[in-house]
Amino acid sequence: MYLSKCIRFCLQQTARTVSKESPLWKRYSTAAVQPKIDTSFVGALKTIVGDANVSTADAIREQHGHDESHHAVAMPDVVVFAESVDHVSKVSKLCNDTKVPLIPFGSGTGLEGGVNALQGGVCLDVTKMDQIVQVNAEDFDCTVQPGVMRLGLNNYLRDTGLWFPIDPGADASVCGMCATSASGTNAVKYGTMRENVLNLQVVLPDGRVIDTAGRGRRTKKTSAGYNLTNLFLGSEGTLGTITEATVRLYGIPEKTISAVCHFNEVSEAVDTVVQILQCGIPMAKLEFLDDSAIDCFNRFCKYDMTVAHSLFLEFHGPAYGLEDQFQSVKELIEMNNGFGLKQASDADERNRLWKARHEMVWACTARIPGSKPYSTDVCVPITNLPEIITKTKQMVVEADVIGPMVGHVGDGNFHIFFPCDHSDTETFKKIKDISHKMAVMAMELNGTCTGEHGIGIGKRDLLVAEVGEETLGAMKQIKETFDPNNIMNPGKVFF
Ligand SMILES: Cc1cc2c(cc1C)N(C[C@H](O)[C@H](O)[C@H](O)COP(=O)(O)OP(=O)(O)OC[C@H]1O[C@@H](n3cnc4c(N)ncnc43)[C@H](O)[C@@H]1O)c1[nH]c(=O)[nH]c(=O)c1N2
Ligand SMILES: CCCCCCC(=O)C(=O)O
Ligand SMILES: [Mn+2]
């Protein structure tokens, strides 16, 4: 009850901070100085990176003014394509000296408006820095530049017998995945980015270049000083630009089993998840799709799966023992009245299933032609998962909106993929109301308003409620220490 009162108090307080006279607004809001983008500034950029790497063309600015979220496009004044750490350092220093906003751009697949240039300024596109610097196969790690995408990394690794398993549904940049503390379907076994980054090279706003664990360090564990690596993980471009990431790699599993099963009740599916995890069965993937999501799945991905609440499961490991794990899960599914348990017959069927799962948001969006996706992203301790999923499903049904539920329930994290026609203001209001209530419910159940997509623009009010004023104040102190001129991605994470 106490938690609930704190959360609601903070939300009320934050509602007041939007009107700028309240003390909370002054304490947390650090609006950047309006950019001084003139021909001499653009000329200075061209001197640093070369004429071809600076663009003020509308099409390029528009392309860099949004990500895959529902947030409105906010174009930068200029787009700079960095080709080296030196470029990043000198551009950062120029922006810092002239107090011009600087927004790092990975591959634009973010879901919270993270790259949108709310106050104009310079978009720093790092895709040209696309080298895989080093692969240390015997140590299970590699170092990549910020333009390396996760699928490109895994293609490069194919002959080594290793892979990088963190798998957001998009082909994102590895450094962008660091910046948003990304996750995906494999997190239940391999963890999220927070558990898989050994070192980061970061260019600070004033141009200084640091290595968060020390240059060349790549141990699985360290107790040397503050954990700056995890400080920059999830920083969403607000503390510095990541110009190298050293990440953990894993052996490609000898054997993989994928399977699907169905339930008549949401509670039966989610109870099965909790029991699987409490039995310590080392699942690789454990995804939930409700009946509405399966309906979208069938329509868009050309499947004819039973339209019922479903679990998509995957097991990774040595050939021996994997079938035993599957049989243990089979018993738990049957104990919870699950039915239709079916293994994928071969790698093609397995890959087709998971490709469809990764494209679920588009399947759900296609339910209303011309709509845009609006995704939620709450995460709770798994024992609280049955309550929040059941209550959320009830909210969606009562609101009479299309709200397919999909997610990484093995991590306690799930989404609703609302097809959102912004011109339908009544439905859009219902969607935002459900999203807000879900986030408050998650926080009241000891969870978080964002398991993997970040705060960006749309969840800044929720962050205050989630962490509380004192903790947010400490975060602001860190921000002001690294970025006293507030040039790094202003308006994100904090008001
Ligand atoms: C269809 C689909 C499906 C999914 C997802 C997206 C889409 C379109 N995502 C979200 C997205 O893929 C994820 O947030 C990525 O980490 C974003 O990486 P980008 O390189 O696209 O960052 P993008 O360029 O979008 O930037 C995201 C944020 O990071 C910052 N940033 C980017 N590169 C940086 C750098 N080098 N240094 C500092 N800051 C930097 C930006 O400033 C911005 O604030 C997701 N996510 C997830 O966690 N799990 C999932 O399952 C999915 N699924
Ligand atoms: C474009 C919206 C993407 C929604 C989120 C996708 C995601 O996280 C997933 O698990 O799928
Ligand atoms: Mn997800």
Side-chain angles (χ1 to χ4, degrees), residues 263-290:
F263 300 83
N264 291 319
E265 301 298 334
V266 168
S267 57
E268 292 169 339
V270 189
D271 287 346
T272 305
V273 169
V274 174
Q275 291 158 25
I276 289 171
L277 296 171
Q278 288 178 340
C279 287
I281 300 168
M283 301 302 301
K285 300 178 195 260
L286 194 42
E287 296 286 305
F288 171 74
L289 290 83
D290 76 349

Short mmCIF file of all heavy atoms in Angstrom, two decimals, residues 263-290:
data_model
loop_
_atom_site.label_atom_id
_atom_site.label_comp_id
_atom_site.label_asym_id
_atom_site.label_seq_id
_atom_site.Cartn_x
_atom_site.Cartn_y
_atom_site.Cartn_z
N PHE A 263 -3.36 -22.74 -24.24
CA PHE A 263 -4.13 -22.81 -22.99
C PHE A 263 -5.46 -22.08 -23.20
O PHE A 263 -5.53 -21.13 -23.98
CB PHE A 263 -3.37 -22.13 -21.84
CG PHE A 263 -2.03 -22.73 -21.54
CD1 PHE A 263 -0.90 -22.38 -22.27
CD2 PHE A 263 -1.89 -23.67 -20.52
CE1 PHE A 263 0.34 -22.94 -22.00
CE2 PHE A 263 -0.65 -24.24 -20.24
CZ PHE A 263 0.46 -23.88 -20.99
N ASN A 264 -6.48 -22.51 -22.47
CA ASN A 264 -7.76 -21.79 -22.54
C ASN A 264 -7.77 -20.56 -21.66
O ASN A 264 -8.46 -19.58 -21.96
CB ASN A 264 -8.90 -22.74 -22.12
CG ASN A 264 -9.13 -23.82 -23.17
OD1 ASN A 264 -9.08 -23.53 -24.38
ND2 ASN A 264 -9.31 -25.06 -22.73
N GLU A 265 -6.97 -20.58 -20.59
CA GLU A 265 -6.96 -19.44 -19.67
C GLU A 265 -5.58 -18.79 -19.62
O GLU A 265 -4.56 -19.52 -19.59
CB GLU A 265 -7.33 -19.91 -18.24
CG GLU A 265 -8.70 -20.58 -18.12
CD GLU A 265 -9.84 -19.62 -18.48
OE1 GLU A 265 -9.65 -18.38 -18.34
OE2 GLU A 265 -10.89 -20.11 -18.95
N VAL A 266 -5.54 -17.47 -19.57
CA VAL A 266 -4.26 -16.75 -19.44
C VAL A 266 -3.52 -17.24 -18.20
O VAL A 266 -2.32 -17.51 -18.22
CB VAL A 266 -4.50 -15.22 -19.37
CG1 VAL A 266 -3.24 -14.50 -18.95
CG2 VAL A 266 -5.03 -14.69 -20.70
N SER A 267 -4.29 -17.39 -17.11
CA SER A 267 -3.65 -17.78 -15.83
C SER A 267 -2.97 -19.14 -15.95
O SER A 267 -1.89 -19.36 -15.37
CB SER A 267 -4.72 -17.82 -14.73
OG SER A 267 -5.75 -18.72 -15.11
N GLU A 268 -3.54 -20.05 -16.74
CA GLU A 268 -2.91 -21.38 -16.89
C GLU A 268 -1.55 -21.24 -17.59
O GLU A 268 -0.56 -21.86 -17.19
CB GLU A 268 -3.83 -22.29 -17.70
CG GLU A 268 -5.12 -22.67 -16.98
CD GLU A 268 -6.13 -23.36 -17.90
OE1 GLU A 268 -6.01 -23.18 -19.14
OE2 GLU A 268 -7.02 -24.07 -17.40
N ALA A 269 -1.50 -20.41 -18.61
CA ALA A 269 -0.24 -20.21 -19.36
C ALA A 269 0.82 -19.59 -18.45
O ALA A 269 1.95 -20.06 -18.37
CB ALA A 269 -0.50 -19.30 -20.57
N VAL A 270 0.43 -18.55 -17.73
CA VAL A 270 1.41 -17.82 -16.93
C VAL A 270 1.83 -18.62 -15.70
O VAL A 270 3.00 -18.61 -15.30
CB VAL A 270 0.87 -16.42 -16.56
CG1 VAL A 270 1.97 -15.59 -15.92
CG2 VAL A 270 0.37 -15.69 -17.80
N ASP A 271 0.89 -19.36 -15.13
CA ASP A 271 1.27 -20.24 -14.00
C ASP A 271 2.30 -21.28 -14.47
O ASP A 271 3.25 -21.60 -13.75
CB ASP A 271 0.03 -20.97 -13.46
CG ASP A 271 -0.87 -20.01 -12.67
OD1 ASP A 271 -0.40 -18.90 -12.34
OD2 ASP A 271 -2.04 -20.37 -12.43
N THR A 272 2.13 -21.76 -15.69
CA THR A 272 3.10 -22.73 -16.25
C THR A 272 4.48 -22.10 -16.33
O THR A 272 5.49 -22.72 -15.96
CB THR A 272 2.65 -23.18 -17.65
OG1 THR A 272 1.32 -23.70 -17.57
CG2 THR A 272 3.59 -24.23 -18.22
N VAL A 273 4.55 -20.85 -16.78
CA VAL A 273 5.83 -20.13 -16.88
C VAL A 273 6.50 -20.07 -15.52
O VAL A 273 7.67 -20.41 -15.36
CB VAL A 273 5.59 -18.70 -17.44
CG1 VAL A 273 6.85 -17.85 -17.29
CG2 VAL A 273 5.13 -18.75 -18.88
N VAL A 274 5.73 -19.65 -14.51
CA VAL A 274 6.30 -19.50 -13.16
C VAL A 274 6.82 -20.84 -12.66
O VAL A 274 7.93 -20.95 -12.12
CB VAL A 274 5.24 -18.92 -12.19
CG1 VAL A 274 5.78 -18.90 -10.77
CG2 VAL A 274 4.85 -17.50 -12.64
N GLN A 275 6.06 -21.91 -12.90
CA GLN A 275 6.47 -23.24 -12.42
C GLN A 275 7.71 -23.74 -13.17
O GLN A 275 8.63 -24.32 -12.58
CB GLN A 275 5.31 -24.22 -12.58
CG GLN A 275 4.16 -23.93 -11.62
CD GLN A 275 2.84 -24.52 -12.09
OE1 GLN A 275 2.82 -25.49 -12.83
NE2 GLN A 275 1.74 -23.92 -11.65
N ILE A 276 7.78 -23.47 -14.49
CA ILE A 276 8.98 -23.87 -15.26
C ILE A 276 10.22 -23.21 -14.67
O ILE A 276 11.23 -23.84 -14.42
CB ILE A 276 8.82 -23.48 -16.74
CG1 ILE A 276 7.78 -24.36 -17.45
CG2 ILE A 276 10.17 -23.57 -17.48
CD1 ILE A 276 7.42 -23.87 -18.86
N LEU A 277 10.09 -21.91 -14.42
CA LEU A 277 11.24 -21.16 -13.90
C LEU A 277 11.58 -21.60 -12.49
O LEU A 277 12.74 -21.76 -12.12
CB LEU A 277 10.95 -19.67 -13.96
CG LEU A 277 10.76 -19.10 -15.38
CD1 LEU A 277 10.24 -17.67 -15.33
CD2 LEU A 277 12.06 -19.16 -16.18
N GLN A 278 10.56 -21.86 -11.68
CA GLN A 278 10.82 -22.27 -10.29
C GLN A 278 11.38 -23.68 -10.22
O GLN A 278 12.04 -24.04 -9.26
CB GLN A 278 9.54 -22.10 -9.46
CG GLN A 278 9.21 -20.62 -9.22
CD GLN A 278 7.91 -20.41 -8.45
OE1 GLN A 278 7.06 -21.29 -8.39
NE2 GLN A 278 7.76 -19.21 -7.87
N CYS A 279 11.17 -24.46 -11.30
CA CYS A 279 11.79 -25.80 -11.35
C CYS A 279 13.24 -25.72 -11.83
O CYS A 279 13.94 -26.72 -11.90
CB CYS A 279 11.00 -26.71 -12.29
SG CYS A 279 9.43 -27.22 -11.58
N GLY A 280 13.67 -24.51 -12.21
CA GLY A 280 15.07 -24.32 -12.63
C GLY A 280 15.39 -24.94 -13.97
O GLY A 280 16.54 -25.23 -14.28
N ILE A 281 14.35 -25.11 -14.80
CA ILE A 281 14.60 -25.66 -16.16
C ILE A 281 15.22 -24.55 -17.00
O ILE A 281 14.63 -23.49 -17.14
CB ILE A 281 13.28 -26.18 -16.78
CG1 ILE A 281 12.70 -27.28 -15.89
CG2 ILE A 281 13.51 -26.69 -18.20
CD1 ILE A 281 11.28 -27.68 -16.21
N PRO A 282 16.42 -24.76 -17.55
CA PRO A 282 17.18 -23.66 -18.19
C PRO A 282 16.67 -23.32 -19.58
O PRO A 282 17.33 -23.56 -20.57
CB PRO A 282 18.60 -24.21 -18.24
CG PRO A 282 18.43 -25.68 -18.34
CD PRO A 282 17.19 -26.02 -17.57
N MET A 283 15.47 -22.69 -19.64
CA MET A 283 14.87 -22.35 -20.92
C MET A 283 15.75 -21.35 -21.67
O MET A 283 16.39 -20.51 -21.06
CB MET A 283 13.50 -21.69 -20.70
CG MET A 283 12.49 -22.55 -19.97
SD MET A 283 12.17 -24.11 -20.77
CE MET A 283 11.57 -23.57 -22.38
N ALA A 284 15.74 -21.47 -23.01
CA ALA A 284 16.43 -20.46 -23.82
C ALA A 284 15.45 -19.34 -24.17
O ALA A 284 15.79 -18.17 -24.11
CB ALA A 284 16.98 -21.08 -25.08
N LYS A 285 14.22 -19.72 -24.53
CA LYS A 285 13.19 -18.72 -24.83
C LYS A 285 11.90 -19.18 -24.15
O LYS A 285 11.63 -20.38 -24.05
CB LYS A 285 12.92 -18.65 -26.34
CG LYS A 285 14.09 -18.27 -27.22
CD LYS A 285 13.66 -18.29 -28.67
CE LYS A 285 14.84 -18.27 -29.64
NZ LYS A 285 15.12 -16.99 -30.20
N LEU A 286 11.12 -18.18 -23.68
CA LEU A 286 9.84 -18.50 -23.06
C LEU A 286 8.93 -17.30 -23.32
O LEU A 286 8.95 -16.32 -22.58
CB LEU A 286 10.04 -18.75 -21.56
CG LEU A 286 8.94 -19.41 -20.77
CD1 LEU A 286 8.29 -20.57 -21.50
CD2 LEU A 286 9.47 -19.89 -19.41
N GLU A 287 8.19 -17.37 -24.40
CA GLU A 287 7.41 -16.24 -24.89
C GLU A 287 5.92 -16.53 -24.76
O GLU A 287 5.48 -17.66 -24.99
CB GLU A 287 7.74 -15.96 -26.36
CG GLU A 287 9.17 -15.53 -26.61
CD GLU A 287 9.46 -14.12 -26.18
OE1 GLU A 287 8.73 -13.21 -26.63
OE2 GLU A 287 10.38 -13.93 -25.38
N PHE A 288 5.15 -15.51 -24.41
CA PHE A 288 3.69 -15.62 -24.29
C PHE A 288 3.04 -14.82 -25.41
O PHE A 288 3.46 -13.70 -25.71
CB PHE A 288 3.24 -15.07 -22.94
CG PHE A 288 1.75 -14.92 -22.78
CD1 PHE A 288 0.93 -16.04 -22.59
CD2 PHE A 288 1.14 -13.67 -22.85
CE1 PHE A 288 -0.44 -15.91 -22.45
CE2 PHE A 288 -0.23 -13.53 -22.69
CZ PHE A 288 -1.02 -14.65 -22.50
N LEU A 289 2.04 -15.42 -26.05
CA LEU A 289 1.22 -14.71 -27.02
C LEU A 289 -0.22 -15.01 -26.67
O LEU A 289 -0.60 -16.19 -26.62
CB LEU A 289 1.52 -15.16 -28.45
CG LEU A 289 2.86 -14.77 -29.06
CD1 LEU A 289 3.96 -15.74 -28.66
CD2 LEU A 289 2.78 -14.73 -30.59
N ASP A 290 -1.03 -13.98 -26.42
CA ASP A 290 -2.42 -14.27 -26.06
C ASP A 290 -3.22 -14.60 -27.32
O ASP A 290 -2.71 -14.53 -28.45
CB ASP A 290 -3.03 -13.13 -25.24
CG ASP A 290 -3.39 -11.90 -26.08
OD1 ASP A 290 -2.99 -11.84 -27.27
OD2 ASP A 290 -4.06 -11.01 -25.54
#
